[in-house]
Amino acid sequence: MSRFAYVNGRFVRHGQAAVHIEDRGYQLADGVYEVWAVFDGKLADAAGHFARLWRSLDELRIAHPMSEASLTIVLREAIRRNQVREGLVYLQVTRGVARRDHAFPNPAVPPAVVITARSVDRVAAEAKAAKGSGVVTVPENRWGRCDIKTIGLLPNALAKQAAREHGAIEAWFVDELGLVTEGASSNAWIVDAEGRLRTRDTQANILRGVTRLTLLDVIAEAGLPVEERPFTVEEAKAAKEAFITGAGSLVTPIVTIDGVKVGDGTVGPVASRLRGAYIERAKAGAI
Ligand code: PDD
């Protein structure tokens, strides 16, 4: 099947899609991105991802490339053209193309937009989630604005590679106090020894995960005890359960941390229940 990408105003064949060599995203990582899960051809948690996109752009003083209504149309078109029923949509907005200079182009240039969409095998993902996965821990080494979803992902890429080399699905960043901040591409959660759900608060230097926020709602509705409070690696290793959340991972149970079993090393009831409840909620709210 042919794939299509949206590049600066038009859909082109994926294999031929290209941006200029002086795109500031390419040279300076001067841009932001968003990822939406797609269920049954529709965008999950759409409003949350749009809100964060506008905030990321505003924080970096990059112009909005189009209105939310227009962007929704283009994202849906990317889904349609790529025949995605279950999958992901990726959007990247950079400050644009200009002669290389660290400071912003003056006069400003139009932001550059790239959108891709791809299918995900949700049957395989369910089977993987039922088995559970591992995480490894790595020292936190990112800049102080991880609340902005920038395309500057080198520490995240290195962390993810470390995870891959240890047979793990994700790496958890750990700050100088020994507290887990978040994953390389997900938020981190545990069900602590007392049975309380715990995830780091958003005052910390982490991404305000959209999946995290929706899941907090699902948890409140289910009446489960939850605290937005940091946890140490030791607490995580001694926890009853652990899991990660994100547009890619949805809710994915974690059964080992640095090779140490969490609980009995099998997927726990809370994580598997929350995965089902999150997917149900996301499907119901998808647009
Ligand atoms: N990553 N933390 C980081 C560092 C992330 O990169 C992500 C998402 C999350 C979870 O956010 P959300 O629930 O809004 O997807 C947390 C995306 C999926 C990615 O980089 O592919």
Side-chain angles (χ1 to χ4, degrees), residues 20-282:
H20 195 278
I21 57 166
E22 286 193 313
D23 186 300
R24 287 176 60 90
Y26 180 58
Q27 292 190 325
L28 300 160
D30 187 4
V32 306
Y33 76 107
E34 274 299 332
V35 179
W36 285 258
V38 176
F39 290 106
D40 199 21
K42 294 188 191 142
L43 297 164
D45 278 331
H49 288 286
F50 280 125
R52 190 174 60 196
L53 170 66
W54 307 135
R55 180 179 178 278
S56 293
L57 289 169
D58 292 345
E59 290 293 321
L60 298 181
R61 295 195 280 151
I62 297 174
H64 296 198
M66 58 184 108
S67 69
E68 190 161 310
S70 301
L71 188 52
T72 305
I73 290 169
V74 181
L75 292 170
R76 284 180 175 154
E77 186 61 13
I79 292 168
R80 194 188 69 77
R81 289 209 189 206
N82 290 287
Q83 297 174 37
V84 175
R85 299 309 299 170
E86 304 296 320
L88 294 169
V89 185
Y90 174 83
L91 161 83
Q92 170 170 318
V93 182
T94 72
R95 199 180 304 278
V97 175
R99 194 185 70 184
R100 186 173 181 276
D101 181 1
H102 290 65
F104 299 173
N106 185 15
V109 293
V113 183
V114 168
I115 298 170
T116 56
R118 69 173 173 88
S119 298
V120 166
D121 182 347
R122 295 240 193 263
V123 176
E126 278 315 311
K128 210 167 160 195
K131 261 184 66 199
S133 302
V135 298
V136 296
T137 59
V138 294
E140 179 64 87
N141 60 354
R142 299 174 301 162
W143 75 325
R145 291 303 309 272
C146 293
D147 58 308
I148 305 173
K149 198 163 174 61
T150 83
I151 58 173
L153 291 174
L154 190 50
N156 307 59
L158 295 174
K160 192 72 99 175
Q161 180 60 23
R164 194 73 43 91
E165 287 171 8
H166 287 90
I169 194 181
E170 180 60 301
W172 279 359
F173 290 112
V174 179
D175 69 17
E176 69 285 358
L177 299 174
L179 299 164
V180 174
T181 51
E182 64 180 327
S185 65
S186 60
N187 289 111
W189 298 70
I190 59 169
V191 178
D192 71 14
E194 282 76 48
R196 279 180 311 238
L197 282 150
R198 299 250 301 268
T199 192
R200 189 129 195 192
D201 61 277
T202 52
Q203 299 312 305
N205 183 33
I206 63 167
L207 188 74
R208 297 168 189 179
V210 174
T211 315
R212 173 190 180 282
L213 199 59
T214 299
L215 193 68
L216 280 170
D217 230 39
V218 169
I219 289 165
E221 208 162 81
L224 298 171
V226 60
E227 280 180 53
E228 292 180 67
R229 185 158 68 84
F231 52 84
T232 63
V233 176
E234 282 60 43
E235 282 177 300
K237 286 177 180 167
K240 291 189 154 86
E241 297 184 37
F243 59 93
I244 56 173
T245 58
S249 45
L250 306 176
V251 177
T252 292
I254 295 303
V255 295
T256 64
I257 300 170
D258 293 332
V260 175
K261 281 184 188 171
V262 180
D264 65 1
T266 64
V267 172
V270 178
S272 67
R273 173 181 171 192
L274 290 179
R275 179 176 174 89
Y278 170 76
I279 291 173
E280 212 173 287
R281 167 76 70 102

